[in-house]
Amino acid sequence: MARNEQGELTSIWTPANVITSVRICFIPVFMLLAVLSRDAMGALTHPAFAIGACVLYILLSLTDKLDGSLARKRNEITDFGKFLDPIADKLLVFSALLLLLDQGYVNVWVVFIILLREFLVSALRMVASAAGEVIAADSLGKAKTAVTMVSLCGFYVAFALEALGMGDLTVWILGISQALMVAAVVLTVVSGIQYIWNARDIVFRV
């Protein structure tokens, strides 16, 4: 139990933090399935692994907001959760991006731009926190996250369909996923600029 008889939190292992921790633990499993599904040349060799990677990644993506909403609903927001949840989110995105980069489905600049934006926003939030201010996620940032996750899920759905022999549908979904990734990069740049602009009084304070 995370609470005592008085209703006070006595443990960091709230249901929300357990979900976050489980999500992190299963990310390497997803990566292993995705890697084992193809040979060194990128050809699909183990369809069951491709389908497993797809199902697991979608499940992990669906829990992306579950832990945060659960913590707020149960009034069990902890510093441990604030620390762990962003790590889980970024690991989930970059694990898939790095695999797609290795397989040639995304450009290295896509990964660089998204990674740069995450570093910048994290640095801005640290500076703001030190100044006693909070930079909350805005609508553009949330849209960027949503489009990125849908795009990544789309790639792995396409790979699963490829494993099931549905080639025509695979090409169609890959095209949509790549278009969404372009949109995600645009939103990444725009939202990053907006974060910097909104924090200009903190960052450029003398």
Side-chain angles (χ1 to χ4, degrees):
M1 294 292 291
R3 294 181 183 274
N4 58 22
E5 293 180 355
Q6 288 73 40
E8 300 172 335
L9 284 175
T10 58
S11 171
I12 61 172
W13 296 112
T14 63
N17 290 343
V18 170
I19 291 173
T20 305
S21 301
V22 170
R23 182 150 51 105
I24 291 175
C25 290
F26 272 95
I27 289 173
V29 178
F30 149 71
M31 295 183 71
L32 183 62
L33 289 173
V35 170
L36 292 177
S37 68
R38 297 180 181 274
D39 61 20
M41 301 301 294
L44 182 68
T45 53
H46 294 85
F49 288 151
I51 295 170
C54 171
V55 172
L56 183 55
Y57 194 78
I58 291 174
L59 289 174
L60 293 174
S61 299
L62 290 175
T63 64
D64 180 38
K65 299 301 180 184
L66 177 61
D67 43 11
S69 61
L70 186 61
R72 289 188 292 272
K73 183 178 180 180
R74 294 171 58 91
N75 193 26
E76 293 178 342
I77 298 174
T78 64
D79 289 336
F80 180 67
K82 292 177 183 178
F83 162 76
L84 201 63
D85 186 59
I87 292 177
D89 295 344
K90 289 172 178 55
L91 282 175
L92 189 59
V93 169
F94 283 105
S95 63
L97 278 175
L98 290 173
L99 287 168
L100 293 173
L101 175 64
D102 183 58
Q103 296 167 356
Y105 286 99
V106 299
N107 189 279
V108 65
W109 289 104
V110 169
V111 180
F112 175 76
I113 290 170
I114 295 175
L115 184 61
L116 175 62
R117 188 262 189 197
E118 294 301 330
F119 275 125
L120 285 174
V121 172
S122 295
L124 284 174
R125 283 178 169 156
M126 284 190 291
V127 172
S129 179
E133 300 187 37
V134 175
I135 300 178
D138 56 21
S139 56
L140 267 179
K142 292 177 181 177
K144 180 271 302 180
T145 300
V147 173
T148 302
M149 293 304 298
V150 171
S151 173
L152 292 173
C153 287
F155 277 105
Y156 286 96
V157 168
F159 299 154
L161 292 174
E162 178 188 0
L164 293 170
M166 304 173 69
D168 292 339
L169 194 55
T170 297
V171 173
W172 183 68
I173 293 180
L174 274 178
I176 293 176
S177 300
Q178 288 166 342
L180 286 173
M181 185 57 67
V182 172
V185 171
V186 172
L187 287 171
T188 295
V189 173
V190 175
S191 66
I193 293 172
Q194 185 179 58
Y195 270 109
I196 294 173
W197 176 255
N198 291 341
R200 64 191 183 281
D201 293 337
I202 301 172
V203 176
F204 302 109
R205 183 181 297 166
V206 177

